[in-house]
Amino acid sequence: MSQIQLNQIKSDALKAFTAAVTSQDLYNQKVQFLGKSGALTEAMKMMASLPKEEKPAFGKMVNEVKSELETAYDQAELSLKNQEINSQMLNEKLDLTLPTSSRDPGKEHPVHKVTNEIFGIMARLGYSLRTGPLIEKDYYNFEALNIPPNHPARDMQDTFFVDETHVLRTHTSPIQIHSLENEKPPLRIIGTGSVFRVDSDISHLPNFHQIEGMCVDEKVSMSDLKGTITFFVREFFGPGLKTRFRPSFFPFTEPSAEVDCSCPICKGKGCSLCKQTGWIEIGGCGLINPKVFQFAKVEYPKWQGFAFGFGVERMAIIKYGVDDIRLFPANDVRFLKQF
Ligand code: PHE
């Protein structure tokens, strides 16, 4: 093995490295020349047969060639890899403006939408949110609200009983009692959630939602109540909707009234939704009965108050002109998408 042969190996290798078009190609060439049985390695092995005094010089030459080839390989590899990445990026270019296959992100249920809107309006009047259990003691759902056992007023709300002393709450008014028992007046609270009644037709659901409001302060009158509800209804429905207060009866308020809004479907002419009356009842209200304060151990007449309870689905029906309340729990996407 001579220097000439060594130079030949070197120039062959350099040529092969330059000729390689892919990094895999290049690597194969490296194996050919620098690998375990590559040309340069073979040259090293031949060193054994050289006369002793020639070995150092030859060894040095082989090492120089080896390191030159390694440097040449590294450079070639770098430039080929770069080319490969660049061409891959060009070929696999992603068009991020392309519409994706459509995925339905879902939407807030109209009942929640309406509830949240109502919170927003009442929050501006200083009301804050309270909740309560769905299964209530008879005491909170009825007795503390001045509805004693066997009182005919219990028939106003057909009740699902859980056992002798517990019911599925028939209204959100028990939230009033929890608040009066646990908090100190003055109070402005808004309660909400599911309520249950044995009732089902075009305008009634066995499970629906209510919004309860309660204000307790030092001097509260019927005009405060009317002003609050009128403001609230106008903010929610817009100024075009007609409302009316009808004298009514609830054991827990005195005096009491029912709040009606004009029917959006027939515009007051009379239809099946409004039962030919032109009006849709959204709930009840009144000044808190002193007996309720007595049950909850709140001093009266130092503290006085008003309360109201509205049906959320009813409000949604009026706002959006839905003609059957049973569409809300049916959860048909085609219906829900419209809000
Ligand atoms: N809880 C009553 C109902 O569900 C509504 C109401 C609430 C009436 C507050 C007066 C005051 O029918």
Side-chain angles (χ1 to χ4, degrees):
M1 168 73 57
S2 67
Q3 191 177 349
I4 298 170
Q5 280 171 303
L6 203 55
N7 279 337
Q8 188 60 47
I9 293 175
K10 181 174 135 184
S11 75
D12 286 351
L14 288 176
K15 240 188 254 162
F17 288 175
T18 326
V21 279
T22 65
S23 56
Q24 183 58 48
D25 236 15
L26 181 68
Y27 180 77
N28 294 341
Q29 293 308 323
K30 182 186 177 183
V31 173
Q32 287 286 313
F33 291 96
L34 297 169
K36 260 195 201 139
S37 45
L40 198 66
T41 320
E42 292 302 317
M44 296 269 268
K45 283 184 195 155
M46 279 190 203
M47 225 166 65
S49 58
L50 283 179
K52 206 175 167 197
E53 58 284 3
E54 286 178 26
K55 278 184 188 169
F58 188 77
K60 201 173 158 225
M61 265 177 349
V62 173
N63 278 336
E64 274 168 12
V65 170
K66 190 174 177 217
S67 92
E68 265 178 79
L69 289 183
E70 276 168 354
T71 311
Y73 173 82
D74 288 346
Q75 280 171 359
E77 188 194 34
L78 191 68
S79 99
L80 281 179
K81 283 241 158 99
N82 266 337
Q83 275 174 30
E84 280 163 8
I85 288 173
N86 285 340
S87 82
Q88 187 184 17
M89 298 230 290
L90 274 178
N91 291 334
E92 296 177 8
K93 205 161 140 191
L94 291 179
D95 182 357
L96 299 178
T97 64
L98 212 62
T100 58
S101 56
S102 85
R103 248 205 243 155
D104 221 322
K107 253 182 147 187
E108 207 176 20
H109 191 281
V111 167
H112 284 134
K113 198 173 143 90
V114 165
T115 308
N116 289 334
E117 233 173 274
I118 297 170
F119 290 158
I121 296 168
M122 296 310 288
R124 280 156 53 203
L125 297 179
Y127 285 73
S128 60
L129 190 62
R130 302 290 183 279
T131 52
L134 299 185
I135 296 177
E136 276 289 6
K137 287 206 174 98
D138 185 288
Y139 178 79
Y140 287 100
N141 196 81
F142 294 123
E143 243 181 290
L145 287 161
N146 193 33
I147 314 175
N150 305 319
H151 190 282
R154 291 201 178 199
D155 296 341
M156 283 167 73
Q157 302 178 349
D158 291 314
T159 311
F160 288 108
F161 288 90
V162 175
D163 59 30
E164 302 267 293
T165 52
H166 292 85
V167 300
L168 293 184
R169 69 176 179 199
T170 57
H171 51 180
T172 42
S173 298
I175 297 174
Q176 288 184 35
I177 307 298
H178 292 300
S179 170
L180 290 174
E181 281 185 354
N182 299 319
E183 303 178 81
K184 283 200 165 50
L187 291 168
R188 280 181 192 194
I189 64 140
I190 189 111
T192 185
S194 262
V195 300
F196 306 84
R197 292 186 198 177
V198 186
D199 212 349
S200 179
D201 62 36
I202 187 174
S203 54
H204 294 90
L205 292 171
N207 173 204
F208 61 104
H209 298 78
Q210 280 189 335
I211 283 267
E212 188 89 11
M214 179 177 76
C215 167
V216 178
D217 214 320
E218 288 190 2
K219 279 204 175 70
V220 177
S221 71
M222 211 51 195
S223 62
D224 296 317
L225 168 61
K226 238 182 135 173
T228 303
I229 290 180
T230 306
F231 169 81
F232 160 55
V233 166
R234 238 182 242 156
E235 288 296 299
F236 183 75
F237 292 112
L241 192 96
K242 284 195 209 146
T243 54
R244 69 177 187 190
F245 290 77
R246 262 185 304 120
S248 185
F249 170 79
F250 297 103
F252 34 95
T253 48
E254 183 59 38
S256 306
E258 243 146 334
V259 184
D260 298 340
C261 294
S262 48
C263 177
I265 300 290
C266 62
K267 309 271 179 285
K269 283 194 215 98
C271 65
S272 63
L273 182 68
C274 63
K275 305 221 166 77
Q276 312 306 330
T277 62
W279 296 93
I280 292 179
E281 182 193 318
I282 60 169
C285 63
L287 294 187
I288 296 173
N289 191 323
K291 292 216 175 113
V292 171
F293 283 132
Q294 215 176 345
F295 274 109
K297 302 194 172 53
V298 173
E299 201 185 326
Y300 177 88
K302 178 178 191 299
W303 298 110
Q304 309 168 10
F306 66 71
F308 58 87
F310 292 165
V312 178
E313 283 84 352
R314 290 292 186 89
M315 299 195 67
I317 278 185
I318 296 166
K319 181 152 184 162
Y320 299 113
V322 175
D323 59 6
D324 188 341
I325 198 169
R326 293 168 294 198
L327 288 166
F328 291 107
N331 279 337
D332 184 327
V333 180
R334 292 166 300 179
F335 170 72
L336 297 176
K337 264 187 180 165
Q338 298 172 36
F339 298 90

